[in-house]
Amino acid sequence: MIALTRRDGRPLRIGHRGAATLAPENTLASFRAARDVGVDLIEFDVVAARDGELLVAHARADVNADTPTLEEALGFFVDEAAQVGPHLDLKVKGRERDVVAALRRHGLEERAFISGLHRETARAVRGQSASIRVGITFPRALLGVSDEGRRAPVGRAGLRGLRRVTPRVVPWLLRSTEATAIALHHRLVTAASVHAAHARGVPVVAWTVDDSDELARVDAAGVDAVVTNDPRIFTSTLKA
C-alpha cells in the first residue's frame, strides 16, 4: 500500500488532473507536465462512457479526442512514470471491481490511491483489494458547497461552518467507510482536523491548493499531501 506520508519534512505533491495549469487537464500531456515538475502522485478523474468504457475525464460531457482511456492512463504510469503514483478520483459508482482489476493488470495496486465522494466507493474498493490506499473525500458535492463560480460567497460561508465541525466528522467518516486516507477541502484543514485523522493512523490529503499562502497554512497544519493544479508552487513556497 502506498505511503501517503510527508517526505523530507514536506507534504507529498499531487498534480491535479495531471498539472492542469500547465497542460489540458486529464490528458497524457498534462500527466507528462506533472511528471516533469517532479510530483509524487498524479490525480485524475475516472468516468464511464455511454458504452461502458472507463475514461479519464471529470464528466462524460468533457470527453474529446484527447481523452485517454483508463487503460492508456495506467499504461503511462508503467511505461513513462515508474516513480509516480496514480491517484484515481472515481466519479462513477458500481465500477470499483473493474477499476481494481485494471490496476491489478498493470501491476499498480500497491502504488495506487483511489478516492471518491461516495462512502460506498471506499467500502467497495476495500472489499476488492487490501493493497490499494482508499480515501474518502469531504465534503461531498451534494452538500452544495463550493468556493468557485457564482455561488462562491455562499460556498465559502458554508465551508467556514463545516470547518468548525470537521474534527468531529473525521472519525465518523473513517469508521463508516473503512477508508485508509481522508481528502479534505483545503479550507477545512486545521491542526485539529489533521490530528483527528492522525490519531487513527490515517493520512490527510488537502485539495485543491493553488495559492502559496494557503499551501504554507495547510503545510503548517501537518497535512501529508496536497493536490494542486500547479505543482511549481511547492518550489516557491516550501523550503526543504
Side-chain angles (χ1 to χ4, degrees), residues 17-227:
R17 302 175 188 171
T21 297
L22 306 179
E25 65 182 39
N26 282 324
T27 63
L28 294 181
S30 192
F31 288 12
R32 292 181 182 114
R35 175 204 59 194
D36 292 346
V37 174
V39 298
D40 300 290
L41 295 93
I42 293 173
E43 185 264 4
F44 56 94
D45 302 307
V46 179
V47 299
R50 292 189 184 280
D51 64 3
E53 184 172 29
L54 293 172
L55 302 174
V56 175
H58 185 252
R60 187 183 292 170
D62 299 332
V63 174
N64 56 55
D66 294 325
T67 299
T69 65
L70 177 60
E71 291 291 327
E72 290 170 335
L74 297 182
F76 166 83
F77 291 93
V78 176
D79 299 331
E80 301 186 45
Q83 303 304 313
V84 180
H87 172 186
L88 293 71
D89 188 5
L90 299 193
K91 304 299 186 185
V92 58
K93 291 195 294 183
R95 298 297 299 276
E96 294 85 3
R97 182 186 298 272
D98 297 325
V99 171
V100 170
L103 288 167
R104 193 168 287 147
R105 281 196 301 275
H106 288 272
L108 292 171
E109 271 187 282
E110 295 191 356
R111 280 170 58 189
F113 171 40
I114 292 178
S115 64
L117 297 167
H118 305 286
R119 286 185 288 159
E120 299 89 342
T121 295
R123 289 194 295 264
V125 174
R126 289 279 286 162
Q128 293 297 316
S129 173
S131 301
I132 298 173
R133 173 78 67 177
V134 186
I136 182 67
T137 301
F138 185 75
R140 290 181 62 175
L142 61 81
L143 292 176
V145 175
S146 174
D147 62 353
E148 298 178 351
R150 291 180 300 174
R151 297 194 64 197
V154 173
R156 288 171 187 154
L159 286 165
R160 283 194 295 272
L162 280 177
R163 185 171 176 167
R164 291 191 292 271
V165 302
T166 296
R168 297 194 295 275
V169 171
V170 165
W172 171 79
L173 275 174
L174 296 176
R175 285 195 305 270
S176 64
T177 61
E178 302 179 10
T180 59
I182 188 164
L184 293 178
H185 187 286
H186 66 94
R187 293 183 185 274
L188 302 185
V189 171
T190 61
S193 61
V194 172
H195 175 75
H198 285 178
R200 288 153 183 83
V202 171
V204 177
V205 177
W207 56 274
T208 298
V209 180
D210 294 325
D211 176 79
S212 295
D213 290 340
E214 188 66 358
L215 174 57
R217 188 188 72 79
V218 298
D219 172 49
V223 297
D224 301 280
V226 176
V227 179

